[in-house]
Amino acid sequence: MLASHVATAIYPGSFDPLTNGHLSIIHRGLTMFDHLIVAVLNNPRKQAMFTVEERKQFIRDAFPDARVEVDAFQGLLVHYTRRKGVHLILRGLRAVSDFEYEFQLANMNRKLDPDFETVFMMTGQDSFYISSQLVREVASLGGDVAELVPPNVFRALRVKFPNKNGG
Ligand code: PNS
């Protein structure tokens, strides 16, 4: 590796919303990479709970680290990575159930762009059961998600679902 080389990876996802599982991957990703671009998928075909701007802001607030850049992308991930000139993406793996989808995604992306590489990190033992989808469901039904998401996301969920979220 060249001395001046800065290792950058893109961490793509829906982040609707950011969870402690994502935070664990970002934290640990920063031990492997000098710079992480956290890229929020803007998918106009899918109704999200939080806007792209809100999702980006959650990440910025939770991670005020100069090595973390927060961005959004639309369309194919391989087009975005090519535009950025970064061909390495980081993904978290929770359980066997994630594997099949992630394996398909990684191989399809590599088919679309032979330079594309995916690095997987296992989520920590405290967050293997956390998903944005379950957080949305539990919060909307009045369950307490305080220990599953960072405080800024927790506050936003309380605003969205007043008198719920254990508050
Ligand atoms: O957090 P998620 O929802 O598991 O992230 C999935 C994501 C955003 C990585 C994936 O859906 C994606 O890359 N979407 C962009 C469209 C695309 O490139 N699709 C083909 C992938 S093979």
Side-chain angles (χ1 to χ4, degrees), residues 12-67:
S14 304
F15 304 105
D16 185 34
L18 180 72
T19 69
N20 287 345
H22 298 129
L23 283 188
S24 151
I25 297 292
I26 298 173
H27 265 297
R28 285 154 55 225
L30 286 172
T31 66
M32 288 173 66
F33 303 101
D34 301 314
H35 187 75
L36 270 187
I37 302 172
V38 184
V40 177
L41 175 66
N42 180 2
N43 185 353
R45 283 171 303 168
K46 206 170 145 198
Q47 178 67 44
M49 178 172 275
F50 292 100
T51 66
V52 171
E53 254 332 296
E54 286 173 318
R55 286 181 271 158
K56 284 169 69 179
Q57 199 56 47
F58 290 149
I59 303 165
R60 278 195 213 104
D61 290 346
F63 255 96
D65 184 318
R67 294 184 304 154

Side-chain angles (χ1 to χ4, degrees), residues 72-96:
F73 74 103
Q74 244 185 338
L76 278 181
L77 180 58
V78 290
H79 290 163
Y80 174 72
T81 54
R82 241 181 257 156
R83 275 202 306 279
K84 289 298 225 185
V86 176
H87 297 272
L88 193 77
I89 72 153
L90 177 63
R91 291 283 289 168
L93 261 189
R94 281 170 300 207
V96 181

Side-chain angles (χ1 to χ4, degrees), residues 136-145 154-155 157-167:
R136 290 196 303 272
E137 185 171 328
V138 171
S140 68
L141 296 173
D144 186 0
V145 295
F154 182 63
R155 283 193 296 274
L157 285 167
R158 279 174 80 145
V159 169
K160 224 172 241 309
F161 305 106
N163 307 319
K164 291 185 175 174
N165 293 307

